[in-house]
Amino acid sequence: VPKISDEAKTERREHVLAGARRCFAAFGYEGATVVRLEAETGLSRGAIFNWFPTKEELFLELAARDNARLAATWADEGHEALVRAVLEEDPAWLGVYAEFGRRLRTDADFRERWKQRTPPEVEQRIVERIRNAQKGGELRDDLDAEEIARLIGLILDGLVIQRAFGFDPPAHESVNGLLRDALGSRKGARPAGKKPG
Amino acid sequence: VPKISDEAKTERREHVLAGARRCFAAFGYEGATVVRLEAETGLSRGAIFNWFPTKEELFLELAARDNARLAATWADEGHEALVRAVLEEDPAWLGVYAEFGRRLRTDADFRERWKQRTPPEVEQRIVERIRNAQKGGELRDDLDAEEIARLIGLILDGLVIQRAFGFDPPAHESVNGLLRDALGSRKGARPAGKKPG
Amino acid sequence: VPKISDEAKTERREHVLAGARRCFAAFGYEGATVVRLEAETGLSRGAIFNWFPTKEELFLELAARDNARLAATWADEGHEALVRAVLEEDPAWLGVYAEFGRRLRTDADFRERWKQRTPPEVEQRIVERIRNAQKGGELRDDLDAEEIARLIGLILDGLVIQRAFGFDPPAHESVNGLLRDALGSRKGARPAGKKPG
Amino acid sequence: VPKISDEAKTERREHVLAGARRCFAAFGYEGATVVRLEAETGLSRGAIFNWFPTKEELFLELAARDNARLAATWADEGHEALVRAVLEEDPAWLGVYAEFGRRLRTDADFRERWKQRTPPEVEQRIVERIRNAQKGGELRDDLDAEEIARLIGLILDGLVIQRAFGFDPPAHESVNGLLRDALGSRKGARPAGKKPG
DNA sequence: ACTGGCGGGACGTCCCGTTGAT
DNA sequence: ATCAACGGGACGTCCCGCCAGT
């Protein structure tokens, strides 16, 4: 028989996750030592490692949630909302995300676990949304929806790293202007991709 | 009388730097332990430490060179060449660069030392080049040159992080198309920044 | 619920301290490397470091106890007992004490921490005892009690360093004779401080 | 054929020794790293280690000279002059001396080398001087000259350590008063060593 | 469920003295 | 005689996760 209810269980997990997020944001992944996690959560090593097997798993869960949340924003509200969401994100936390690039690229296991956390259908929903926008004349239709998604993703990642590095990135109007100019409907006289001059 | 010539000296430094670069790229900054640096360079702690006071300084020198090289590419050959250069860069090394976001944002000393390494006049040359392109009708002139530089930088940073994370980013034709559409001359029928639909 | 009782806790601390004392005595402060502390205590780095944050703190605790004990001997049993106590002290350990002269003289922080460890009232009790001995005719009363304390301290420190250096110092009867002759009551025919010859 | 004359040779040695002395005094023995010795002497490792095989030997030479000088002062000018000499010595340097207690006690080789540096006849001269003072009525004659020497040495070592620790020791009048009272001629009514009261 | 004592490895720094070269 | 590149070891600190104990 479990000593605490499922409700209480998830509450504990959430408590640990919240503390870990603050800790990662404040000190970075490497800097978020177990001692600091203890201090931030008010729990002991044993309790923390009872809910999550390793420090890495803690990060993975937090990052996966972020990913899912932002992807959902994109799918549900469009890329302009996504730009705003990224600009509202805590730069310190974005920095933690950046620390894991190498792991994601080189560690196949880690990459696999990362992928398992992201719901697979959300990407399709994003592409779907882009197709609809193309049909509705909001986005140019001379490019694949996948390619448009990739280009939006490119700019978004740019925003992420600029904020993570503490640079001050362009304002969201500016970024969204860039996106409209580059990816908006091609109804004007100028053919897409034609080199000026 | 010096034991070895200045020539040999720089050769040694370069040897250490080259090994360190491989090591950083392979294992990341934290993962590039002194033991691994020894293995990669074939030199001992004493030798490495003789040429560079700290591991950080090693990284700083490597990163500063990259920075200078890429900035010079932008200033001399334009941003399209820069896009190609970034796409040709070793993704593994770009990942190391990404690891330093936090340091750069939070550690004032480090930020200062970083800045001291980048030649100050190159930024002006870049802005100058953009102004000329605006006059020549290659870039839109309804935005500040600085803002254009910032937007180009945004996309470039996006490229950097996508490659660092092992995603496959858009091809350079695609990225440069994006840049032309967004930042090319506004002489066409479509007014700049007009919201589609 | 604590894993081990307070009793067991102090026992562990004492175990570490005892091992450290043997280690310091055998190899000196610098020579008492963490590896040797491990060997001497039979515990691992992790365990030792769990009870004392740094090696210095280990030494400080040991030295403070000695200091307190010897000062109490002086205050409670008088300086002749103190001489005997110093002569019974382990010369090896006294040597460690001597190693810290520089730190104590030059490092203000260290000096402060050292002082915080010595109970403040014991010095007053020593002076008080000297005053009583002056009234009782056991010590000369033509010198300040503080000056007498200082002269006794001088001789004691001489004993400490001679033992620490492995010289063989005068026997305790001899030292106490010296103290009586120099600091005993001036009631005899020979006026205090009169230059002979 | 030697490249430089014997004169120049000793000059170099002295130059190194002088720098080393400043360095030891400033940073302590352990703190006087080879880098600092280089800086202080203006010479390189190779040059320094050309004249002295190890850092230890440097210290040994310096300490032996001090020892000889102070012993000569005692033998030639008496212990009161010796007290003054010790009080004029650089406390920082005395601290270095204190650092070597353990070595002297535990390392037989080191002790041997130490002894070889001190001229053997000087101790006899000191004892001789004390005997003369006893005959002349300046020092009590109910104690062996050797015992008197030992007691004087005891107080001197007390002075050394107090200064090395940065305590302020009694003034030289006070110390010499102590010595006179304790070791001066026993012509008064009070028999030596009789416990007062 | 939770505590925290503990193992034991890894880290960057820095040090001393050797050595080959001038 | 002098230089400085270099080897390679040692250091204290601190970390993560295990698991015995409550």
Side-chain angles (χ1 to χ4, degrees):
Chain A
V1 283
K3 286 194 182 170
I4 61 172
S5 66
D6 282 7
E7 216 171 80
K9 264 186 180 177
T10 57
E11 192 198 5
R12 296 296 176 101
R13 275 183 65 95
E14 292 308 312
H15 179 72
V16 173
L17 279 172
R21 194 174 218 274
R22 287 192 301 274
C23 224
F24 285 141
F27 305 107
Y29 182 78
E30 303 278 355
T33 68
V34 180
V35 173
R36 280 170 170 160
L37 288 172
E38 289 178 322
E40 196 67 39
T41 58
L43 295 172
S44 73
R45 275 170 161 65
I48 294 169
F49 285 118
N50 183 47
W51 299 108
F52 299 89
T54 63
K55 202 173 88 165
E56 189 184 278
E57 205 66 20
L58 266 171
F59 166 74
L60 220 47
E61 176 115 0
L62 287 168
R65 289 186 183 194
D66 268 22
N67 246 20
R69 180 166 48 80
L70 290 175
T73 299
W74 192 354
D76 296 337
E77 308 175 38
H79 60 261
E80 304 207 356
L82 176 58
V83 167
R84 274 193 298 272
V86 165
L87 284 170
E88 280 162 7
E89 197 71 40
D90 178 10
W93 171 255
L94 293 178
V96 183
Y97 181 73
E99 284 184 58
F100 271 83
R102 205 184 56 81
R103 282 295 296 280
L104 212 51
R105 194 186 65 251
T106 59
D107 186 335
D109 271 0
F110 185 77
R111 193 167 51 244
E112 199 50 42
R113 280 189 291 153
W114 178 278
K115 279 187 182 165
Q116 284 176 359
R117 307 259 180 165
T118 41
E121 88 289 353
V122 75
E123 291 188 20
Q124 296 174 0
R125 282 173 53 212
I126 290 169
V127 172
E128 206 66 30
R129 183 187 181 91
I130 291 172
R131 287 224 180 81
N132 286 335
Q134 288 178 312
K135 285 177 197 159
E138 294 156 34
L139 289 177
R140 59 197 282 186
D141 54 7
D142 59 338
L143 290 176
D144 279 350
E146 283 86 359
E147 182 68 8
I148 288 183
R150 214 171 344 220
L151 290 171
I152 293 174
L154 176 68
I155 287 164
L156 260 299
D157 281 341
L159 267 186
V160 166
I161 204 168
Q162 290 213 345
R163 303 206 69 222
F165 273 61
F167 304 156
D168 60 73
H172 80 91
E173 297 90 353
S174 189
V175 177
N176 281 327
L178 176 87
L179 285 164
R180 276 195 300 275
D181 290 339
L183 305 172
S185 168
R186 302 284 91 182
K187 299 227 173 106
R190 205 166 47 115
K194 187 195 167 190
K195 189 159 190 173
Chain B
V1 283
K3 179 182 171 180
I4 61 174
S5 64
D6 282 7
E7 217 170 78
K9 263 186 178 178
T10 57
E11 193 198 5
R12 298 295 176 99
R13 275 183 65 93
E14 294 306 315
H15 178 74
V16 174
L17 279 171
R21 194 172 219 275
R22 287 193 301 274
C23 219
F24 285 141
F27 305 106
Y29 182 80
E30 304 277 356
T33 69
V34 180
V35 174
R36 281 169 170 162
L37 287 172
E38 287 179 319
E40 197 67 40
T41 58
L43 295 172
S44 73
R45 286 161 147 72
I48 297 170
F49 192 73
N50 184 52
W51 297 109
F52 299 89
T54 60
K55 198 175 92 165
E56 193 183 273
E57 207 66 18
L58 260 173
F59 166 75
L60 228 41
E61 174 118 359
L62 287 168
R65 288 187 182 195
D66 270 21
N67 249 18
R69 180 166 47 79
L70 291 175
T73 299
W74 192 353
D76 295 337
E77 307 175 39
H79 59 261
E80 305 207 355
L82 176 57
V83 167
R84 274 192 300 271
V86 167
L87 284 170
E88 280 162 10
E89 197 70 42
D90 178 10
W93 170 255
L94 292 178
V96 184
Y97 181 72
E99 282 185 61
F100 271 83
R102 173 168 306 273
R103 283 293 297 279
L104 217 47
R105 195 183 64 251
T106 58
D107 186 335
D109 272 357
F110 184 76
R111 195 166 49 242
E112 198 50 40
R113 277 190 292 154
W114 179 277
K115 278 185 183 168
Q116 283 176 359
R117 305 264 180 165
T118 41
E121 88 290 352
V122 76
E123 292 188 20
Q124 295 175 359
R125 282 174 52 213
I126 290 169
V127 172
E128 205 67 28
R129 184 187 182 92
I130 291 173
R131 286 221 181 85
N132 286 336
Q134 287 178 311
K135 284 178 197 160
E138 294 156 36
L139 287 176
R140 57 195 284 187
D141 53 7
D142 60 337
L143 289 176
D144 279 350
E146 283 85 1
E147 181 70 9
I148 288 184
R150 208 167 311 151
L151 289 170
I152 295 174
L154 176 68
I155 288 165
L156 260 297
D157 282 340
L159 266 186
V160 166
I161 205 168
Q162 290 213 344
R163 303 206 69 223
F165 274 60
F167 304 157
D168 63 66
H172 81 92
E173 298 90 355
S174 189
V175 177
N176 282 327
L178 176 89
L179 284 164
R180 276 196 298 276
D181 292 339
L183 304 173
S185 168
R186 304 283 91 181
K187 299 238 173 95
R190 206 165 47 118
K194 188 193 163 191
K195 189 159 191 174
Chain C
V1 281
K3 179 183 171 181
I4 61 173
S5 64
D6 283 5
E7 217 169 78
K9 263 186 177 178
T10 56
E11 193 198 4
R12 299 294 176 97
R13 274 182 67 94
E14 294 307 314
H15 178 74
V16 174
L17 280 172
R21 196 173 217 275
R22 287 193 303 273
C23 219
F24 285 141
F27 305 107
Y29 182 80
E30 304 278 355
T33 68
V34 180
V35 174
R36 280 168 170 163
L37 287 171
E38 288 180 318
E40 197 66 39
T41 58
L43 295 172
S44 74
R45 284 161 148 72
I48 296 169
F49 191 73
N50 184 51
W51 298 108
F52 299 89
T54 61
K55 200 175 91 164
E56 191 183 274
E57 207 65 20
L58 261 173
F59 166 74
L60 228 42
E61 175 120 358
L62 287 168
R65 288 186 182 195
D66 270 22
N67 248 19
R69 179 165 49 78
L70 290 176
T73 300
W74 192 353
D76 295 336
E77 309 174 38
H79 60 261
E80 304 207 356
L82 175 58
V83 167
R84 275 192 298 272
V86 166
L87 284 170
E88 281 162 8
E89 197 70 42
D90 177 10
W93 169 255
L94 292 178
V96 184
Y97 181 72
E99 283 185 60
F100 272 81
R102 171 169 307 274
R103 283 293 297 278
L104 217 48
R105 195 184 65 250
T106 58
D107 185 336
D109 271 359
F110 184 76
R111 194 166 51 243
E112 198 50 42
R113 277 190 291 154
W114 178 278
K115 278 186 183 168
Q116 284 177 357
R117 304 264 181 165
T118 40
E121 89 291 352
V122 76
E123 291 188 20
Q124 296 175 0
R125 284 173 52 213
I126 290 170
V127 172
E128 205 66 30
R129 183 186 183 92
I130 292 173
R131 286 223 181 83
N132 286 336
Q134 288 178 310
K135 283 178 198 159
E138 296 156 33
L139 288 176
R140 57 195 285 187
D141 53 8
D142 59 338
L143 289 177
D144 279 351
E146 283 85 0
E147 181 70 9
I148 288 184
R150 208 168 309 150
L151 290 169
I152 294 174
L154 176 68
I155 288 164
L156 259 299
D157 282 340
L159 267 186
V160 165
I161 204 168
Q162 290 213 343
R163 305 207 66 223
F165 274 58
F167 304 156
D168 63 67
H172 80 91
E173 297 90 354
S174 188
V175 177
N176 282 327
L178 176 88
L179 284 165
R180 275 197 299 276
D181 292 339
L183 305 172
S185 170
R186 305 283 91 180
K187 299 239 173 92
R190 204 164 48 115
K194 187 191 163 193
K195 188 159 190 175
Chain D
V1 284
K3 285 193 183 171
I4 62 173
S5 66
D6 283 7
E7 216 170 78
K9 263 187 180 176
T10 56
E11 193 198 6
R12 296 296 176 100
R13 273 183 65 94
E14 294 306 313
H15 179 73
V16 173
L17 279 171
R21 194 175 219 272
R22 287 193 302 274
C23 223
F24 285 142
F27 305 108
Y29 182 78
E30 304 278 355
T33 68
V34 180
V35 174
R36 280 169 169 160
L37 289 172
E38 289 177 323
E40 196 67 38
T41 59
L43 294 172
S44 74
R45 276 167 160 68
I48 295 168
F49 285 118
N50 182 48
W51 298 109
F52 299 89
T54 63
K55 203 174 87 166
E56 190 185 277
E57 206 66 20
L58 264 171
F59 166 74
L60 219 47
E61 176 115 359
L62 287 169
R65 289 187 182 194
D66 268 22
N67 246 20
R69 179 166 49 80
L70 290 175
T73 299
W74 192 354
D76 295 338
E77 308 174 38
H79 60 261
E80 304 207 357
L82 175 58
V83 167
R84 275 193 298 272
V86 166
L87 284 170
E88 280 162 8
E89 197 71 41
D90 178 9
W93 171 255
L94 293 177
V96 183
Y97 181 73
E99 285 184 56
F100 271 82
R102 205 184 57 81
R103 281 295 296 280
L104 212 50
R105 195 187 63 251
T106 58
D107 186 335
D109 270 0
F110 185 77
R111 192 166 51 242
E112 199 50 43
R113 281 189 290 152
W114 178 278
K115 279 186 183 166
Q116 284 176 358
R117 307 262 180 164
T118 42
E121 88 289 354
V122 75
E123 292 188 20
Q124 296 174 1
R125 282 173 53 213
I126 289 169
V127 171
E128 205 67 31
R129 183 186 181 93
I130 290 172
R131 287 224 180 82
N132 286 337
Q134 287 177 313
K135 285 176 196 159
E138 294 156 34
L139 287 176
R140 57 195 286 186
D141 52 9
D142 59 339
L143 289 176
D144 279 351
E146 284 85 0
E147 182 70 8
I148 287 183
R150 212 172 345 221
L151 289 170
I152 293 173
L154 176 69
I155 286 164
L156 259 299
D157 282 341
L159 268 186
V160 166
I161 204 168
Q162 290 211 345
R163 302 205 70 222
F165 273 61
F167 305 156
D168 61 73
H172 81 92
E173 297 91 354
S174 189
V175 178
N176 281 328
L178 177 87
L179 285 164
R180 278 196 298 275
D181 291 340
L183 306 172
S185 166
R186 302 285 89 179
K187 299 229 171 104
R190 208 165 46 116
K194 188 195 164 190
K195 188 161 192 172

